[in-house]
Each structure stands twice: as structure tokens, then as C-alpha cells.
Amino acid sequence: MRAGPADERDNRRRRAPECGPSEPVAPDREGRITAERAARLAACYVAEMTGKEPENLTSVQRTDDRGWRVDVEVVELRRIPETTDLLSVYQAELDQDGTLQSYRRTQRYTRGQVQGEPT
């Protein structure tokens, strides 16, 4: 079966991180995983928990307890035109070893929505 234009556009736009086995990433000087590794792990956790493929990583920051807080954007519902797609941001919290501690949806909006507008 041949992919149509919409399928090809979706494949080009999505840049999901590798969630399978990967090369180990060296920890930082204090023994914690790096921001890059935390972001990749968070995207994989969100994909696994929600069944939705990550579209963007919008924020990565250290937490006070030596872990990471990562915001992952996913498409909840694809629509035509795509400016009306329903998007969500999930916040994942990982400990210093990269283990998922919690996740929650923090935002929901349409793709064409200006930041700060109510849904």
C-alpha cells in the first residue's frame, strides 16, 4: 500500500525520539542523567502512557531533588485543516536515574491557537 501526501507529511513532521534499546548516555559529573537523556526518556514515557506519539519537547529543567521536569507536546486529535489539530502538553517528572515519578497533562489547545487564549 502506497502512502498518500498526508501520510508523507506526517512522517516528515514527526521526529519522535528513539524509545527502544539505545546506547547508554554518560551521567553528568554528579552522577545524574543528562538533560538530553531525560528529555528522550520523558518522551518515551509519555508515548507509552498516553498511546500518543510525541511531537515536540517544549521544556527540560532540573528539579530541586536532582531530577528532571520535561514538557512533551503530543497530538491528541488530528483534524483537517491541521491548524485545528488538538494538541496537549504533558509534564513528566523523572528522578536522577531517569525513572518516571509522575506525569500529567498541563495544557490542551488547538494548533492554530495563539498562546494564552482559552480552549
Side-chain angles (χ1 to χ4, degrees):
M1 178 179 222
R2 187 172 177 187
D7 294 330
E8 291 171 7
R9 182 179 61 241
D10 286 344
N11 289 336
R12 280 193 311 265
R13 186 177 51 196
R14 291 185 189 166
R15 298 284 181 246
E18 297 292 324
C19 291
S22 61
E23 295 179 28
V25 175
D28 68 9
R29 285 184 237 167
E30 297 174 14
R32 298 175 294 200
I33 62 169
T34 63
E36 178 184 9
R37 182 70 177 145
R40 289 179 186 274
L41 286 170
C44 291
Y45 287 132
V46 168
E48 183 178 319
M49 301 296 284
T50 65
K52 309 289 184 193
E53 196 167 332
E55 183 154 293
N56 292 307
L57 297 169
T58 60
S59 173
V60 179
Q61 64 186 88
R62 267 195 214 281
T63 60
D64 292 338
D65 61 351
R66 299 174 42 107
W68 294 96
R69 183 174 299 120
V70 183
D71 289 344
V72 180
E73 184 178 59
V74 301
V75 178
E76 295 278 343
L77 180 62
R78 293 201 181 273
R79 296 180 176 161
I80 299 175
E82 65 182 33
T83 56
T84 62
D85 286 351
L86 186 59
L87 303 174
S88 291
V89 174
Y90 286 86
Q91 186 175 83
E93 295 202 19
L94 285 65
D95 67 12
Q96 63 186 348
D97 298 319
T99 303
L100 181 67
Q101 299 299 303
S102 67
Y103 90 103
R104 66 187 179 111
R105 184 173 61 202
T106 59
Q107 295 178 10
R108 200 169 195 193
Y109 51 92
T110 57
R111 187 182 298 276
Q113 184 176 329
V114 176
Q115 190 74 0
E117 286 183 13
T119 55

